[in-house]
Amino acid sequence: MFKIEIPEKAKQIINQLEQAGYEAYVVGGPVRDCILGKCPMDWDITTSASPYQVKEIFSYTIDTGIAHGTVTVMMGHEPFEVTTYRVDGEYKDHRRPEEVCFTKSLKEDLLRRDFTINAMAYNDRDGLIDYYGGVDDLKQNIIRCVGEASKRFDEDALRILRALRFQAQLGFVIEDKTKQAVREQAKFLKDISAERIQVELTKLLVSGHPETILHAYELGVTSVVLPEFDRMMETPQNNPHHRYSVGIHTVEALKNAESDHILRWTMLLHDVGKPEARVEGPDKDRFRGHHIIGEEMAGQILRRLKFDNQTVKQVKALVRWHDIRFGSLKEVNKKTVRRWASKLSVPLFEKLLKVQQADILAQSSFMLEEKQEILDRTAALFEEIKKEKDCLQIKDLALDGKDLIRLGMKPGKELGDMLNELLELVLDDPQKNSREILKQAVREKRGQQ
């Protein structure tokens, strides 16, 4: 019999529920992951006990979703979601059922779940419960809805994005009937909150197969949740630097980037301004100012999807500067690199180098060797700058605001301007970042005033 090693605390919850006369199983994602040989992050439990019966059995519970049958059971400091078998009522908004009815049937409970690979349950007594062919679909690398796909998506349209997300994370294919339902019902994603869409899109993008965004386009999903991508797909790049349309170039660049949400969202949006900036010429297309247009559009898209301010700020900056060049191979030098690292911050400049690497690898072979040499030279100089601990920020100056006050300056704009001037001095020549040299510079600058 197939065996899953259930964590001791989850096993204790199941045992206590069974000793009280109820059924209980680990369910859904953890079962799927164990079959795939992965280590589950969370262990969800389903039971025939009602939420109030669960609360009676365990001493420390939290009513996280009691109206829908979910109680969080705390085992020490570790939370476990315990949900009563249920049958969902009518869905009118493609988001949530009008009512939830509890049931004593595990089979009915599993029938309401989204995909066969997520509709399996397990406990040590009964082993694996797989009423809907989840194991077979895992073996065949298939994403298939439980029961009728159109009903599952009508119940919760977010499942459309979840199907694509699982495709991206697992490297599976979506079964034909499920795929057809995605195509026909993608329009219902307009009823889903931006926050839920953001979560699924991000999981798709940071997966091992971010190119699944292209499948989302082909099935009409991006036209609802990210119409800007459709415009990119429809925009050619008749330019020697490119071999793909804006959209396909974007997908290739996505594949080249590290699995980091800032980097992947930047690559998705780095050329989002090109459709608007494109000007056809007799010899080639031009996209002047696309980085500035793209910065504004990226901010609008990320805010529309309810991203946090830090993500918006970083992605906008990276989109703005993704195309910046640091000079020719002969011209690029430490002074230039220090100034850019200071302007952006060390962490963001590190990301910018990764963005540029992903970008140029998705371009044509035209001048590719030269671009790569310049980028490699820039990265090497940046590593030297970090190793030498050159001053790149005001806080790293050998003098601070208190020192300037001791030299007779008053707090305010003049003091701030002086610190910026000292930073400029040190960015040009890191050897000048000493207390005596900077003190003398202050005296000379104040003497000129």
Side-chain angles (χ1 to χ4, degrees):
M1 184 174 74
F2 179 76
K3 176 77 172 173
I4 288 178
E5 291 298 327
I6 303 173
E8 201 56 44
K9 290 178 180 177
K11 191 182 295 186
Q12 186 179 338
I13 292 173
I14 291 172
N15 289 342
Q16 285 185 239
L17 286 164
E18 288 181 337
Q19 288 166 11
Y22 304 106
E23 296 176 2
Y25 301 84
V26 289
V27 69
V31 180
R32 178 198 68 229
D33 288 346
C34 286
I35 295 172
L36 290 172
K38 299 180 179 181
C39 183
M41 298 295 292
D42 301 299
W43 291 84
D44 296 333
I45 295 166
T46 189
T47 180
S48 60
S50 74
Y52 299 101
Q53 288 165 335
V54 172
K55 287 167 65 67
E56 287 177 3
I57 293 168
F58 298 97
S59 57
Y60 185 7
T61 63
I62 302 169
D63 295 353
T64 44
I66 199 163
H68 291 89
T70 301
V71 174
T72 296
V73 174
M74 299 299 298
M75 300 297 284
H77 297 291
E78 195 172 351
F80 292 86
E81 284 196 356
V82 179
T83 302
T84 303
Y85 299 164
R86 74 184 205 205
V87 177
D88 295 338
E90 184 182 2
Y91 287 78
K92 292 184 178 179
D93 59 4
H94 311 293
R95 288 181 291 177
R96 61 180 74 85
E98 293 294 304
E99 61 180 355
V100 168
C101 300
F102 300 136
T103 176
K104 294 298 181 182
S105 168
L106 173 63
K107 189 172 185 178
E108 286 186 342
D109 177 80
L110 295 177
L111 179 60
R112 71 175 175 82
R113 295 174 185 268
D114 51 8
F115 309 112
T116 60
I117 61 172
N118 296 332
M120 295 178 286
Y122 177 91
N123 66 22
D124 288 337
R125 185 184 62 191
D126 299 328
L128 182 66
I129 307 297
D130 178 21
Y131 294 118
Y132 304 107
V135 170
D136 285 343
D137 285 344
L138 283 177
K139 288 177 180 177
Q140 296 177 58
N141 296 346
I142 287 174
I143 308 291
R144 183 198 311 270
C145 282
V146 177
E148 192 176 329
S150 60
K151 286 185 178 178
R152 297 292 82 78
F153 294 148
D154 196 46
E155 291 164 354
D156 185 354
L158 189 70
R159 289 169 170 169
I160 292 167
L161 272 180
R162 281 171 59 82
L164 289 157
R165 186 254 287 186
F166 282 121
Q167 177 185 357
Q169 288 180 325
L170 301 175
F172 285 14
V173 296
I174 300 176
E175 175 265 340
D176 286 345
K177 289 183 179 178
T178 302
K179 190 189 301 181
Q180 184 59 30
V182 167
R183 188 178 282 109
E184 292 173 354
Q185 293 173 273
K187 59 190 176 185
F188 295 138
L189 282 164
K190 65 179 173 45
D191 298 324
I192 303 300
S193 72
E195 291 87 349
R196 294 178 78 199
I197 288 171
Q198 177 222 115
V199 169
E200 294 300 326
L201 280 178
T202 299
K203 287 179 178 179
L204 185 157
L205 290 176
V206 301
S207 74
H209 297 278
E211 67 274 13
T212 303
I213 193 74
L214 188 57
H215 199 205
Y217 162 75
E218 292 164 350
L219 293 176
V221 171
T222 54
S223 68
V224 182
V225 300
L226 196 66
E228 295 85 356
F229 183 75
D230 289 50
R231 284 200 66 197
M232 288 193 281
M233 287 297 299
E234 295 155 6
T235 303
Q237 296 192 97
N238 301 315
N239 186 293
H241 290 278
H242 288 280
R243 50 183 165 157
Y244 303 120
S245 69
V246 176
I248 297 299
H249 162 75
T250 295
V251 172
E252 292 300 312
L254 264 174
K255 289 157 60 177
N256 295 332
E258 288 180 15
S259 178
D260 168 89
H261 89 283
I262 296 292
L263 291 176
R264 290 279 174 90
W265 273 102
T266 298
M267 298 325 300
L268 181 65
L269 301 176
H270 77 285
D271 279 347
V272 71
K274 276 191 171 180
E276 186 173 330
R278 179 174 178 254
V279 175
E280 291 186 67
D283 54 343
K284 63 181 179 181
D285 294 343
R286 289 175 170 81
F287 301 92
R288 289 195 182 99
H290 79 274
H291 58 296
I292 297 171
I293 297 169
E295 177 190 24
E296 180 62 28
M297 290 181 68
Q300 292 171 357
I301 292 165
L302 296 174
R303 282 189 290 270
R304 184 177 78 216
L305 291 171
K306 308 298 183 184
F307 272 96
D308 60 280
N309 291 335
Q310 193 56 234
T311 296
V312 175
K313 180 180 178 182
Q314 289 188 52
V315 173
K316 282 183 65 178
L318 291 170
V319 169
R320 171 70 181 249
W321 300 114
H322 78 273
D323 227 12
I324 193 71
R325 295 293 173 253
F326 306 106
S328 68
L329 191 58
K330 291 182 179 179
E331 293 169 340
V332 65
N333 55 57
K334 282 189 177 180
K335 185 186 295 187
T336 301
V337 175
R338 277 195 297 268
R339 287 190 173 278
W340 275 104
S342 176
K343 180 184 180 71
L344 292 173
S345 81
V346 167
L348 205 58
F349 189 74
E350 288 175 338
K351 283 184 166 65
L352 178 63
L353 295 179
K354 293 175 181 178
V355 164
Q356 292 198 345
Q357 182 66 81
D359 189 16
I360 66 173
L361 289 178
Q363 296 172 5
S364 71
S365 59
F366 179 69
M367 295 181 66
L368 178 61
E369 187 175 340
E370 181 181 333
K371 293 173 190 175
Q372 189 64 60
E373 286 179 351
I374 292 171
L375 186 58
D376 289 345
R377 172 70 174 156
T378 302
L381 292 174
F382 182 52
E383 288 304 312
E384 289 180 20
I385 288 166
K386 289 194 294 181
K387 188 174 182 179
E388 292 162 3
K389 298 183 178 178
D390 288 355
C391 173
L392 299 173
Q393 297 174 291
I394 285 175
K395 69 180 182 65
D396 296 323
L397 286 168
L399 287 187
D400 60 18
K402 291 179 181 178
D403 293 316
L404 296 186
I405 291 172
R406 292 190 194 99
L407 290 172
M409 296 188 71
K410 295 179 180 179
K413 184 178 184 301
E414 182 191 5
L415 188 148
D417 289 344
M418 180 62 75
L419 287 171
N420 282 316
E421 287 185 42
L422 294 178
L423 179 62
E424 290 291 315
L425 186 71
V426 170
L427 289 173
D428 280 343
D429 184 357
Q431 300 301 317
K432 292 184 177 179
N433 191 29
S434 78
R435 290 180 64 81
E436 289 310 314
I437 292 174
L438 294 183
K439 281 182 180 180
Q440 182 60 33
V442 172
R443 294 188 188 102
E444 291 175 359
K445 289 177 183 293
R446 297 197 75 209
Q448 295 169 3
Q449 294 173 357

